[in-house]
Amino acid sequence: MAAALLVGTSRYFNYHTTVRYIDTILEVGQGQKIITQVQTVLTLLVDAETGERGYVITRQERFLDPYREAISRLKTETDKLEALIRNSPFRRQHFSRLRAGIQLQIRFLDENVSLVRQGSHNEAVQRVISGEGKRSLDANRLLLSQLRRAEENDLARQLLEVESMEERNKRLNLAGVVILALLFAGGLLTIISNINQQDRLREQLRKENQMSQELNRELHIRLRQLYDAQEIAQVGSFRTAPGSNTFTGTPELFRIAGWPTELAGKPADTGLFYNSLSPDDARRILSYTGETTPDRQSLTATFRMRTGGGDQKQILIKARIRAEGEAAPVMEGTVLDITARKRFEEELQQLNEELRATNEELSSTVEELTAAGEKIQQYNLILEEKNLQLERLNAEYTDLYENAPVGYHSLDAQGRIVKVNNTELQWLGYTREEMTDKPVAQFLPAHQAEDLKRLTPELISKGMVSGVEREFRRKDGTVMTLLVNARAEYDEEDNFVRIRSTLTNFTELKAARQLLAERTAQLEQTNRDLEAFAFTISHDLKAPLRVVVGFTGMLKEEYAGKLDDEAMRLIKVIEKNSIQMGRLVDDLLSFARLGRTTVAKATVDTQSLVQEVLTEQLTGPGSEKYQVQVGSLPVVTADPRLLRQVWSNLIGNAVKFSAAVNAPAIGIEASRQEQEVVFTIRDNGTATTLPTGTICSGYSGGFILPMNLKAVV
């Protein structure tokens, strides 16, 4: 009885320890699941943060795909984590802080995405750069890490408890066996063989019990590992029950399909699965399970599924189909969510097409660059030729500057010579080193150096001076007069920086000007003498002419009856030529007065002026026989009084010298030649050449005015 009681007590403690051992194993699995779920939540947070950052920086919609995927799964995975830790008050408190942090991070990410969509890209970038999102992620990562470490510590503690319980169970069993052996050895030698048999049975039972526990534990671990692996790989599995319209699926299958995960591992109606597929896909999969033939023993196909949340997904099903007796064929296989992969494949295909187009554009660009390179080579040849031309021009410019017929020098802001050409050096007899960096006042007389100080501010203010005479001291001590033209130069800020001067050898020009002034004075005196002589000669000639005309008249009156016809003709010739000589003298007097007359120019209508002069000249007897043709005459700028005298003289000559012909004719016209107007007067009388080259009667060309008459027009 005592032995039976001892064995029962041993079995009781053994059973109690085994139950506790199994519970601990289950808690270990729960802890591993929490750790895995913590890692999943952290991965989603990182994906959301990465997608949001990529979209804010690049503004490309494809970066929002991982962001949307993470946000859509984050609540579900967070709820799973909360369900796993609901039995731990400490973890629930820790999780409350975690959920608040996750909500804060999601709100921050959503605000950044909204800012980009609203056009406030720079503000969103500044928020990303500020690191607020990273700090929120780091805070959530820290909370998740703390939760994970807590679970890992509990897991280690539970494993120690499992090992301790296992050792305690071994000791208890050993103690029971030893006590039982002593009891049987002391009192029941006769049943030693039976006791030994019981011991062997007990040992076998213990081993079987231990093997059963190990198998259960191994099965639980393997099942948990399978679930975890499926969750990580996002691959679910299922098996239909033979003879019924039910199937059993793993938690990951239910998560992929969006079904309640608490139904995982339990028989579910196959209608739930078929109804989630499109009608065509449901008919396809039913056609496989309708009968089992050698060509339908396996299935690998892509199907379209609508999840419990209303999302559209593409799944890949790989399954085996086999018959079990008379029942309907059984299907068992895996379900893989390939939605993201399909999307990435489409994006990859699009990228490949874009890359192909880019390659084509690149090939075209390479061809254009090759053509551009050939053009550049041509341009380089042209540039080399231009450089040679530029070098030649530079050499010509240098030669022109250094050996110009004028002197050049440049002064800095302090009045020092910074550049001087060879011509100026040769004029003054200095070397370049003797003049460079020296004040220009050093080469001027003292009074002109002081005058230079006075004129320099004026030059800087006006920007230019010209025609300034300067006496420069040569190296041999002599003085050279130069005519200086100077120009001030300024920088971009309008600050005075330098003076550039051009110097002309004024020594010979000054002497020539002085000589010209003397010759001009002599010429003016000569002209005055000539005018006085002409005036005197004109007056002196009129006296004998009056005597000749007077005596000729007396001969005609007193001796008309005594002289024959020939004598009377000769008297008339003398009288006529004397009168003509008087007119010539009057013209000479008018000519002399014209040189002393001041010209007052005005606008003159030559058409009207010529008509007035013709009317005056053709008023006497016989004027009706003249044929006068006047062309279109222009309006000119001239002295009206003097121009009238010119026309009066010219028309009077034409009338006088054509009077002897039977049908006298006079023609007047004008023509423009470049910057002047040429007037032409013609008549059909005897040709006469007037002084100073003025051609009138009988001349078919124009007339040339003397210098003093040209001043009239």
Side-chain angles (χ1 to χ4, degrees):
M1 185 66 182
L5 181 60
L6 182 60
V7 171
T9 302
S10 176
R11 286 290 121 191
Y12 170 78
F13 283 108
N14 190 16
Y15 170 79
H16 180 73
T17 302
T18 301
V19 172
R20 176 59 182 159
Y21 178 79
I22 293 173
D23 292 339
T24 303
I25 289 296
L26 293 176
E27 291 178 2
V28 169
Q30 183 75 1
Q32 291 176 343
K33 191 171 182 179
I34 291 174
I35 292 173
T36 303
Q37 191 65 24
V38 166
Q39 185 62 35
T40 300
V41 173
L42 179 58
T43 301
L44 291 176
L45 288 175
V46 172
D47 290 345
E49 171 71 17
T50 304
E52 173 267 345
R53 185 182 297 270
Y55 174 71
V56 170
I57 293 175
T58 65
R59 286 183 282 186
Q60 296 183 10
E61 288 290 334
R62 63 189 182 88
F63 285 97
L64 286 181
D65 292 337
Y67 168 78
R68 296 191 186 101
E69 179 71 18
I71 294 299
S72 65
R73 291 185 54 197
L74 197 56
K75 184 178 184 307
T76 302
E77 300 300 334
T78 305
D79 292 340
K80 291 179 183 178
L81 180 59
E82 183 179 13
L84 291 173
I85 64 175
R86 67 164 57 95
N87 294 328
S88 173
F90 169 77
R91 292 187 179 88
R92 286 203 305 272
Q93 181 180 2
H94 201 76
F95 181 82
S96 298
R97 293 163 52 198
L98 176 62
R99 181 180 289 277
I102 291 174
Q103 292 175 351
L104 179 62
Q105 182 178 355
I106 291 175
R107 183 165 57 254
F108 178 82
L109 299 180
D110 287 339
E111 290 175 355
N112 283 351
V113 172
S114 298
L115 285 174
V116 175
R117 291 189 180 280
Q118 294 170 4
S120 302
H121 175 254
N122 291 334
E123 181 179 353
V125 171
Q126 291 300 322
R127 283 167 60 92
V128 170
I129 294 174
S130 67
E132 182 179 349
K134 184 177 182 303
R135 288 193 295 271
S136 178
L137 177 61
D138 290 341
N140 291 331
R141 183 185 282 114
L142 178 62
L143 292 172
L144 288 169
S145 297
Q146 292 174 352
L147 186 60
R148 180 172 180 171
R149 282 197 299 271
E151 287 299 330
E152 288 175 349
N153 291 336
D154 287 346
L155 182 60
R157 178 183 55 77
Q158 290 168 358
L159 290 175
L160 289 176
E161 289 180 3
V162 168
E163 292 176 358
S164 176
M165 290 178 184
E166 188 175 7
E167 184 66 23
R168 189 183 309 132
N169 194 20
K170 289 180 180 180
R171 291 178 182 177
L172 184 59
N173 288 334
L174 181 59
V177 171
V178 171
I179 294 173
L180 188 60
L182 291 176
L183 290 174
F184 278 100
L188 301 171
L189 295 176
T190 57
I191 57 173
I192 290 176
S193 59
N194 293 332
I195 294 175
N196 290 335
Q197 182 66 27
Q198 289 179 359
D199 289 339
R200 286 193 298 272
L201 291 173
R202 188 179 294 109
E203 182 66 18
Q204 184 178 358
L205 180 61
R206 187 186 65 79
K207 290 181 179 180
E208 290 178 355
N209 184 33
Q210 185 175 358
M211 290 178 60
S212 177
Q213 292 176 357
E214 291 177 355
L215 288 174
N216 289 333
R217 183 170 62 253
E218 184 69 20
L219 180 61
H220 185 272
I221 292 174
R222 292 295 177 85
L223 186 61
R224 184 67 263 170
Q225 290 176 347
L226 174 63
Y227 289 169
D228 292 342
Q230 287 188 354
E231 184 176 359
I232 293 172
Q234 295 184 345
V235 178
S237 60
F238 67 93
R239 183 180 187 278
T240 61
S244 65
N245 294 326
T246 61
F247 75 97
T248 305
T250 60
E252 186 60 25
L253 172 63
F254 278 72
R255 276 192 290 270
I256 292 173
W259 302 328
T261 54
E262 56 268 18
L263 299 178
K266 301 175 183 179
D269 191 349
T270 54
L272 178 65
F273 180 73
Y274 292 135
N275 292 335
S276 65
L277 302 178
S278 66
D280 293 339
D281 290 343
R283 283 192 292 270
R284 284 172 54 203
I285 199 168
L286 284 172
S287 67
Y288 276 91
T289 58
E291 58 178 319
T292 302
T293 59
D295 60 339
R296 294 199 176 186
Q297 292 181 354
S298 63
L299 168 66
T300 300
T302 302
F303 298 92
R304 292 164 294 174
M305 170 182 280
R306 179 180 294 276
T307 65
D311 298 330
Q312 290 286 347
K313 289 188 177 181
Q314 292 192 23
I315 59 174
L316 175 65
I317 296 180
K318 292 184 178 181
R320 292 193 306 271
I321 305 171
R322 55 188 177 83
E324 292 187 357
E326 300 296 331
V330 174
M331 178 184 293
E332 54 187 5
T334 59
V335 176
L336 173 63
D337 183 1
I338 60 172
T339 305
R341 189 181 75 182
K342 286 290 186 181
R343 183 170 59 250
F344 291 147
E345 288 176 354
E346 293 174 358
E347 292 180 357
L348 181 60
Q349 182 179 1
Q350 182 179 358
L351 288 175
N352 288 333
E353 294 176 357
E354 293 177 357
L355 181 60
R356 190 179 304 108
T358 302
N359 288 334
E360 294 176 357
E361 293 178 0
L362 184 60
S363 300
S364 176
T365 304
V366 169
E367 294 176 358
E368 293 176 358
L369 288 176
T370 303
E374 296 175 355
K375 289 185 178 180
I376 289 174
Q377 291 179 355
Q378 296 176 0
Y379 292 153
N380 286 336
L381 294 176
I382 297 174
L383 183 61
E384 290 177 0
E385 182 179 355
K386 295 298 182 181
N387 286 334
L388 293 176
Q389 295 178 1
L390 184 60
E391 291 177 359
R392 289 194 295 269
L393 290 174
N394 187 40
E396 293 176 2
Y397 167 76
T398 302
D399 178 70
L400 177 62
Y401 176 82
E402 294 293 345
N403 304 308
V406 296
Y408 294 116
H409 68 235
S410 300
L411 310 179
D412 61 12
Q414 287 72 39
R416 292 189 299 267
I417 298 174
V418 294
K419 192 174 183 180
V420 60
N421 72 339
N422 291 334
T423 302
E424 185 173 346
L425 294 173
Q426 292 171 2
W427 283 350
L428 301 181
Y430 295 101
T431 64
R432 196 177 303 276
E433 291 75 15
E434 290 173 337
M435 293 193 70
T436 305
D437 293 332
K438 304 296 190 302
V440 69
Q442 179 177 329
F443 303 95
L444 300 175
H447 68 282
Q448 291 201 0
E450 292 297 326
D451 187 54
L452 177 64
K453 293 180 180 179
R454 180 183 60 81
L455 288 178
T456 299
E458 179 182 351
L459 169 61
I460 296 174
S461 173
K462 293 182 177 180
M464 178 179 290
V465 295
S466 59
V468 179
E469 292 186 22
R470 284 282 182 265
E471 294 179 351
F472 282 80
R473 288 199 306 269
R474 291 190 176 99
K475 188 175 181 179
D476 58 6
T478 60
V479 175
M480 183 177 188
T481 303
L482 299 176
L483 190 65
V484 180
N485 296 315
R487 179 169 57 87
E489 293 187 351
Y490 310 88
D491 58 16
E492 295 178 354
E493 299 179 356
D494 205 27
N495 297 318
F496 168 69
V497 292
R498 70 177 64 86
I499 296 174
R500 295 188 186 276
S501 301
T502 303
L503 297 87
T504 305
N505 189 348
F506 196 59
T507 304
E508 297 178 359
L509 181 60
K510 187 175 182 180
R513 284 185 177 179
Q514 185 175 358
L515 178 61
L516 179 61
E518 294 174 355
R519 294 292 176 84
T520 301
Q522 294 175 0
L523 182 60
E524 290 176 352
Q525 183 61 40
T526 300
N527 288 335
R528 286 193 295 270
D529 293 342
L530 286 174
E531 290 177 4
F533 174 75
F535 187 75
T536 301
I537 290 300
S538 297
H539 282 279
D540 292 343
L541 287 176
K542 291 188 72 174
L545 284 175
R546 283 193 296 269
V547 172
V548 171
V549 172
F551 279 105
T552 302
M554 291 172 62
L555 285 174
K556 285 171 62 179
E557 292 177 358
E558 295 178 5
Y559 298 96
K562 298 178 180 181
L563 298 176
D564 56 12
D565 295 337
E566 179 63 19
M568 291 300 293
R569 186 184 69 80
L570 293 176
I571 290 172
K572 290 180 179 180
V573 170
I574 293 171
E575 184 181 27
K576 179 180 179 181
N577 283 281
S578 297
I579 294 172
Q580 179 64 27
M581 185 65 179
R583 290 176 179 173
L584 291 176
V585 171
D586 291 337
D587 291 341
L588 183 61
L589 286 173
S590 299
F591 176 72
R593 295 190 189 99
L594 184 62
R596 297 191 299 270
T597 303
T598 301
V599 177
K601 293 184 179 181
T603 301
V604 180
D605 184 357
T606 55
Q607 190 82 40
S608 301
L609 178 62
V610 168
Q611 291 294 340
E612 291 176 2
V613 173
L614 285 171
T615 302
E616 293 174 357
Q617 295 288 343
L618 298 175
T619 56
S623 59
E624 65 279 355
K625 67 179 181 177
Y626 282 87
Q627 296 181 359
V628 181
Q629 293 182 352
V630 180
S632 177
L633 304 181
V635 175
V636 299
T637 300
D639 187 312
R641 182 174 56 83
L642 296 180
L643 185 59
R644 183 184 187 88
Q645 183 177 350
V646 171
W647 278 114
S648 180
N649 291 339
L650 293 175
I651 293 174
N653 287 336
V655 171
K656 177 173 59 179
F657 290 108
S658 62
V661 299
N662 294 328
I666 299 174
I668 301 173
E669 60 185 13
S671 62
R672 289 188 178 274
Q673 297 182 3
E674 297 181 356
Q675 302 296 325
E676 61 185 7
V677 178
V678 176
F679 294 92
T680 304
I681 179 168
R682 299 182 180 88
D683 65 73
N684 58 353
T686 304
T688 301
T689 300
L690 297 180
T692 69
T694 302
I695 300 175
C696 294
S697 301
Y699 180 62
S700 60
F703 60 82
I704 303 173
L705 297 177
M707 290 302 297
N708 55 350
L709 294 183
K710 284 186 177 181
V712 173
V713 182

